[in-house]
Amino acid sequence: GCPVICSTKCGSKSYIVDETNGYIFNDSSFNSLYNHTLKLLDIKKLNHMKKECLNYAKINLSSEVFYSKFLKIIRQNN
């Protein structure tokens, strides 16, 4: 439930839905990082993003989802 700020060059950005469960800032721009950090000071937006983080994790990163995707890969390779 913790929104993140990630650069455009970070591989973890693939887990972020920009402005929903985190922010992706332009790697070569301090202003981009600064502006996205300021957005997290809006408590209503922050609380909404926390909920979105939990929803995203439940849908995409839970152990059940991992197991299901893992079985699918095994079955495709047999």
Side-chain angles (χ1 to χ4, degrees), residues 27-71:
D27 184 64
S28 60
S29 171
F30 173 79
N31 286 335
S32 178
L33 173 60
Y34 178 77
N35 291 331
H36 283 81
T37 304
L38 285 179
K39 291 177 185 179
L40 289 176
L41 297 177
D42 177 347
I43 196 69
K44 285 177 83 174
K45 180 70 174 172
L46 179 61
N47 287 332
H48 175 74
M49 291 178 86
K50 285 180 178 183
K51 291 177 186 174
E52 291 297 324
C53 287
L54 292 172
N55 288 335
Y56 181 88
K58 184 178 181 181
I59 293 168
N60 298 289
L61 305 173
S62 70
S63 58
E64 293 84 8
V65 171
F66 172 82
Y67 182 72
S68 173
K69 289 180 180 182
F70 186 73
L71 283 179

Side-chain angles (χ1 to χ4, degrees), residues 4-15:
V4 297
I5 300 176
C6 183
S7 80
T8 52
K9 290 188 177 180
C10 180
S12 297
K13 73 179 181 289
S14 63
Y15 296 108

